[in-house]
Amino acid sequence: MQQLTIERSEPGMNGKDSALKPRLKRRSTFEYVAWVVCSLIGIGVLFSVSTNPNFKWDVVAKYFTHESILRGLMLTIFLTVASMALGTLLGLALAIMRGSKIKPIAATAGVYITLFRGTPVLVQLIFWFNVAALYPNLSIGIPFTDISTAIDMNALMAPITAALVGLTLNEAAYMAEIIRGGFSSVGKGQIEAADSLGMSGAMKMRKVIIPQAMPSIIPATGNQVIGMFKGTSLVSVLGVAELLQSAQLIYARTYETIPLLIVASLWYLVMTLLLSYPQSKLEQKYSRATSRLPRKAKPVVLTDPEGAAR
Amino acid sequence: MSNDGTILAQKIRKSFGPKTVLKDINLDIASGEICCIIGPSGSGKSTILRCINGLETVDSGVLKVNGEDFGYYETENAYHALPPKKLAEQRTRVGMVFQSFNLFPNMTAHENIMSGPVLVKRADKKEAAKRAHELLASVGLAGFGDYYPAQLSGGQQQRVAIARSLAMDPEIMLFDEPTSALDPEKVGEVLAVMKDLAKKGMTMVVVTHEMGFAREVADSLIFMDDGYIVERGDAREILTNPKETRTQAFLKQVL
């Protein structure tokens, strides 16, 4: 009793109850130094950027919403959406092929993935643009019959087609690996359970494997979308008037190279930020720890009596 | 038709790479028989079950389930693998309950039970839903249909898994250590469901460490060791009075 009183009444340095004092984090000298150095660098960069007249911020502002820039942005968005969508579909097919028990099918997918992941996208894009040199005429027809139509490859592989083909085929290889990774995250027991119920291969895929692989596929796909958005700038080498090429076309005339590159960069940055918000939301939603339950699961309210067997 | 619910195995061999897990297995299980398989781990108990369900294929020997060659058809010189559709059909007649439940986590308890009849047998959805309801009630889980597996305890999950297998109306039920992954206090509720099933005349093959269950429910008992069936006979007889020294040694350890 007495001891307790003694401890209680022990005054802190300035009379405050010791038990109620907040606990403060330790700040090292390094932390203070870091604050100062990083602030100085930040201020320096900002100062230089805002005072250097060569940045020509008025030109940036003028072209930021310029019609041809916006048209380029639209094309960039189109290329991203189209090649992601087609690439994902083709990637899904490749992932399923890769997991096939039939050797030649699995090997074909394997070779495809190796080829397309092992060469730079830029090279692939230029290759598809020039594929007419390899096959001047593409003829589609039924084998061993005379029924066929020849298509002029040069006309077919217009810059935008080449861009779409190149980006799609490359993306498919990456998506195939992501999807395959998702498939392999589904437990063996799940597949055995489906087998023991007599499910067919396609049924297993649709009802058991794909729904469970989604949590690991979706966040990675979000990352790919962001990467693809910036990756579309590569197709400017084919003369496709997407965002970067639109900026290039303007500064080729006006010689305002830096301001227009800033315009393009700002748009890339804005779009990436816009995309990364839903991306991080998706990642949270599908993170293993928080989503052991499907999205539509009801919270557990055990109003029923605990179900004893009998 | 009279062969429904029977299992016949003759000289079955099965190896995984260099390791032979089943050596000369001979089995004859009658319709409605409750057979427990016991033995040390790695003795091949689970592999037998997995062969009867087609999760593994046997290397050689005769395996007839429900009176039909399982997974293969016999010609003069060889056994030829059946097309997947035919194999799937045979599998629907054999239910399997796993040690780790293996419920589909993306489906509710109700959907799990309906998955077999609706997706595989193309049964009428309303009928299947009604049946699923009855099955849930029969395993003591009426009212739990809307819960996802992750919201259920291990014992409850295993009972849903049993109901899922039963929904296919199999003639044979295989249980692969159904209570091994459960808390000791949840074992009873799963065994109760299994006892109930045994009373209804289902052919059951149960790989288990629950000697109490074997003694109480099993008609016959198999003791396996190192890929061989060491001893087979009446369950109570073997448990109280084992003939083989290996069986005696094993039972001494576990009882």
Side-chain angles (χ1 to χ4, degrees):
Chain A
M1 185 72 181
Q2 203 177 1
Q3 248 182 350
L4 200 77
T5 342
I6 288 167
E7 264 180 37
R8 273 268 163 129
S9 64
E10 181 130 45
M13 292 280 194
N14 41 20
K16 214 174 166 187
D17 188 348
S18 298
L20 297 176
K21 284 180 185 170
R23 302 244 162 185
L24 300 176
K25 276 196 188 119
R26 181 182 177 283
R27 285 184 199 277
S28 64
T29 337
F30 179 73
E31 194 173 341
Y32 292 109
V33 174
W35 270 103
V36 172
V37 171
C38 292
S39 305
L40 281 178
I41 293 174
I43 291 166
V45 169
L46 268 183
F47 182 75
S48 152
V49 166
S50 54
T51 54
N52 186 337
N54 293 334
F55 276 102
K56 294 189 189 151
W57 290 106
D58 54 322
V59 179
V60 173
K62 182 181 150 203
Y63 282 109
F64 192 66
T65 51
H66 190 274
E67 201 201 334
S68 61
I69 291 287
L70 290 183
R71 222 182 288 140
L73 179 66
M74 282 301 145
L75 189 56
T76 290
I77 293 172
F78 165 76
L79 280 173
T80 309
V81 172
S83 50
M84 265 321 286
L86 295 172
T88 307
L89 283 180
L90 186 56
L92 176 64
L94 283 166
I96 294 172
M97 284 170 69
R98 193 87 163 82
S100 170
K101 275 198 206 94
I102 302 164
K103 287 256 164 62
I105 291 182
T108 306
V111 168
Y112 178 98
I113 292 168
T114 311
L115 279 182
F116 281 84
R117 290 207 315 165
T119 52
V121 206
L122 186 53
V123 176
Q124 288 173 35
L125 286 166
I126 301 170
F127 177 87
W128 289 114
F129 189 50
N130 294 298
V131 78
L134 212 53
Y135 298 101
N137 284 299
L138 180 69
S139 65
I140 298 169
I142 302 161
F144 313 115
T145 62
D146 290 338
I147 310 162
S148 72
T149 6
I151 299 168
D152 179 14
M153 200 54 132
N154 253 325
L156 181 70
M157 274 299 163
I160 191 137
T161 330
L164 207 52
V165 168
L167 291 176
T168 300
L169 295 185
N170 180 68
E171 189 57 30
Y174 283 91
M175 283 308 295
E177 286 294 273
I178 288 173
I179 294 170
R180 195 170 67 100
F183 286 176
S184 61
S185 73
V186 179
K188 199 169 150 250
Q190 290 293 314
I191 292 154
E192 288 182 348
D195 276 338
S196 76
L197 287 174
M199 285 195 191
S200 67
M203 184 77 72
K204 254 188 307 190
M205 193 50 91
R206 273 197 308 128
K207 298 290 178 177
V208 179
I209 301 177
I210 291 182
Q212 291 186 55
M214 276 308 179
S216 67
I217 293 175
I218 286 183
T221 307
N223 253 335
Q224 287 297 110
V225 173
I226 291 173
M228 172 63 91
F229 187 79
K230 292 174 291 176
T232 51
S233 62
L234 288 171
V235 308
S236 61
V237 297
L238 308 183
V240 175
E242 44 69 70
L243 185 51
L244 179 60
Q245 178 72 6
S246 304
Q248 283 174 332
L249 287 174
I250 296 171
Y251 73 62
R253 252 187 304 115
T254 64
Y255 298 105
E256 289 156 331
T257 312
I258 296 295
L260 277 145
L261 285 180
I262 291 174
V263 168
S265 303
L266 282 176
W267 272 118
Y268 283 118
L269 198 60
V270 167
M271 293 304 294
T272 314
L273 286 176
L274 285 181
L275 284 172
S276 60
Y277 178 71
Q279 147 75 5
S280 67
K281 282 276 150 205
L282 278 176
E283 227 160 69
Q284 269 173 31
K285 189 175 235 171
Y286 285 102
S287 75
R288 280 262 167 244
T290 54
S291 74
R292 278 172 59 239
L293 293 177
R295 274 163 298 153
K296 43 189 200 300
K298 292 180 199 162
V300 189
V301 192
L302 278 174
T303 46
D304 295 270
E306 175 74 8
R310 212 117 289 152
Chain B
M1 266 296 143
S2 57
N3 284 326
D4 282 356
T6 62
I7 302 166
L8 176 76
Q10 284 170 352
K11 295 187 178 175
I12 283 186
R13 285 184 67 85
K14 167 77 187 167
S15 345
F16 292 112
K19 191 169 159 35
T20 307
V21 275
L22 297 181
K23 307 161 186 169
D24 192 30
I25 296 290
N26 294 286
L27 253 185
D28 190 357
I29 293 173
S31 180
E33 184 174 336
I34 317 294
C35 177
C36 280
I37 305 180
I38 59 169
S41 57
S43 58
K45 324 183 282 289
S46 291
T47 311
I48 290 191
L49 283 199
R50 294 168 63 83
C51 288
I52 297 171
N53 190 247
L55 291 174
E56 308 286 355
T57 53
V58 300
D59 295 342
S60 65
V62 178
L63 177 64
K64 285 183 196 261
V65 179
N66 289 317
E68 297 173 28
D69 280 314
F70 192 84
Y72 289 79
Y73 64 93
E74 191 179 4
T75 60
E76 213 167 310
N77 297 317
Y79 276 107
H80 300 270
L82 286 173
K85 226 179 164 179
K86 192 82 203 1
L87 173 66
E89 206 179 293
Q90 286 188 338
R91 279 174 156 173
T92 61
R93 302 181 62 191
V94 184
M96 177 92 168
V97 175
F98 300 89
Q99 182 178 356
S100 50
F101 331 133
N102 294 347
L103 288 176
F104 303 129
N106 52 320
M107 302 180 194
T108 61
H110 204 254
E111 288 166 348
N112 261 289
I113 298 173
M114 281 173 64
S115 65
V118 172
L119 299 174
V120 179
K121 285 192 172 171
R122 301 276 167 211
D124 178 59
K125 263 200 182 152
K126 264 192 194 148
E127 287 283 309
K130 205 173 138 236
R131 183 77 209 290
H133 218 79
E134 291 167 10
L135 281 166
L136 265 177
S138 77
V139 296
L141 288 173
F144 281 81
D146 288 336
Y147 289 105
Y148 282 91
Q151 294 170 304
L152 298 172
S153 74
Q156 292 169 334
Q157 287 189 52
Q158 192 61 295
R159 285 184 278 153
V160 173
I162 293 172
R164 177 176 69 176
S165 292
L166 290 176
M168 296 299 278
D169 295 316
E171 278 100 1
I172 300 169
M173 284 286 281
L174 308 174
F175 295 84
D176 189 2
E177 302 193 21
T179 56
S180 297
L182 298 178
D183 290 342
E185 59 167 342
K186 306 282 183 192
V187 169
E189 62 192 45
V190 171
L191 292 181
V193 169
M194 289 167 64
K195 281 177 200 164
D196 208 52
L197 204 55
K199 278 185 214 139
K200 289 179 185 154
M202 173 78 70
T203 305
M204 287 164 68
V205 186
V206 186
V207 169
T208 188
H209 295 301
E210 294 292 329
M211 298 304 156
F213 176 81
R215 191 191 308 268
E216 194 181 332
V217 184
D219 299 315
S220 60
L221 189 87
I222 290 173
F223 174 71
M224 281 190 74
D225 188 32
D226 195 30
Y228 291 102
I229 291 179
V230 177
E231 194 163 352
R232 166 157 167 64
D234 181 75
R236 279 153 292 269
E237 178 69 26
I238 293 183
L239 285 173
T240 44
N241 205 356
K243 287 193 187 72
E244 305 290 328
T245 43
R246 184 68 190 89
T247 320
Q248 287 162 4
F250 177 78
L251 288 175
K252 212 172 187 178
Q253 293 296 319
V254 295
L255 284 178

